[in-house]
Amino acid sequence: MGDNTEKKSIDTGMPSKPKWENPNHPLYLHHADQPSIILVPQPLVEDNYSTWVQSMSMALLVKNKIDFVDGSIKEPSGDKPDELQQWKRCNNLVKTWLLGLMSKEIVSSVIHCKDASQMWLDLQELFSHVNTIQLFHIENEIHDCVQGSMTVSSYFTKLKSLWDEQDAL
């Protein structure tokens, strides 16, 4: 076995479990963490990156896998084969989740990324120029927004939504 399972616990003298068997560890995989699960309601398409990335970030945080996209968990060295294998499983799971929530056109531009962090950065770079165009459209929507027959509450909700989207960009 690898170096994580051969260590003896100081308290019991029994072999200790690998650190990734702790549900709070980023390398932990729950039996429900399957490649086919849908983490966010809408896939990434050309014009929804800002809301998609926020939703996806929240979902990955809940799954304790945000470290794979923000780059804070690095690929372990080859001298820890069990940990490296577990990291690869988790990294590929996160990549599968991301790819499953993108349009086919976007998938083709990021599928060859070596890890989830690189995929995340490539998406950010790909959509950074789109944000300027989106910002222009949102500002126009804010400018053109009139209450008309909407209630004050509905009107404010619409404006607040546009302001929040503008701030996100």
Side-chain angles (χ1 to χ4, degrees):
M1 297 224 136
D3 65 353
N4 287 312
T5 55
E6 293 175 359
K7 295 178 184 172
K8 301 274 185 188
S9 168
I10 294 171
D11 298 334
T12 64
M14 302 292 292
S16 61
K17 294 180 180 177
K19 59 187 172 186
W20 56 82
E21 287 190 20
N22 177 343
N24 292 320
H25 195 278
L27 293 179
Y28 174 78
L29 286 175
H30 188 271
H31 68 275
D33 290 336
Q34 299 296 318
S36 61
I37 64 171
I38 304 297
L39 298 179
V40 296
Q42 293 185 352
L44 175 61
V45 292
E46 190 175 307
D47 64 350
N48 70 341
Y49 176 74
S50 64
T51 55
W52 181 87
V53 77
Q54 285 181 320
S55 296
M56 199 64 187
S57 295
M58 288 186 288
L60 290 170
L61 185 65
V62 167
K63 290 292 197 178
N64 202 17
K65 298 295 182 261
I66 194 74
D67 294 346
F68 285 89
V69 297
D70 71 12
S72 60
I73 186 165
K74 304 289 185 202
E75 182 175 348
S77 64
D79 63 342
K80 298 178 180 179
D82 290 346
E83 187 174 345
L84 178 60
Q85 180 183 6
Q86 188 69 9
W87 182 90
K88 286 180 179 180
R89 290 176 66 208
C90 291
N91 181 66
N92 282 328
L93 179 64
V94 172
K95 284 174 58 176
T96 304
W97 286 342
L98 294 173
L99 291 169
L101 292 165
M102 296 178 200
S103 70
K104 290 178 183 179
E105 297 79 19
I106 297 170
V107 165
S108 66
S109 69
V110 296
I111 194 158
H112 298 291
C113 291
K114 67 180 177 91
D115 58 37
S117 177
Q118 185 60 53
M119 188 177 287
W120 195 255
L121 288 172
D122 283 5
L123 288 170
Q124 186 179 25
E125 186 177 313
L126 181 66
F127 289 100
S128 62
H129 70 281
V130 174
N131 287 351
T132 306
I133 297 166
Q134 281 182 278
L135 187 57
F136 176 76
H137 288 297
I138 291 167
E139 288 172 352
N140 281 341
E141 280 188 69
I142 292 170
H143 181 267
D144 296 341
C145 189
V146 292
Q147 182 178 351
S149 61
M150 286 189 277
T151 64
V152 171
S153 173
S154 295
Y155 177 64
F156 177 76
T157 301
K158 182 176 180 176
L159 272 178
K160 172 97 171 71
S161 173
L162 290 168
W163 290 331
D164 289 346
E165 198 172 343
Q166 181 183 34
D167 288 344
L169 294 175

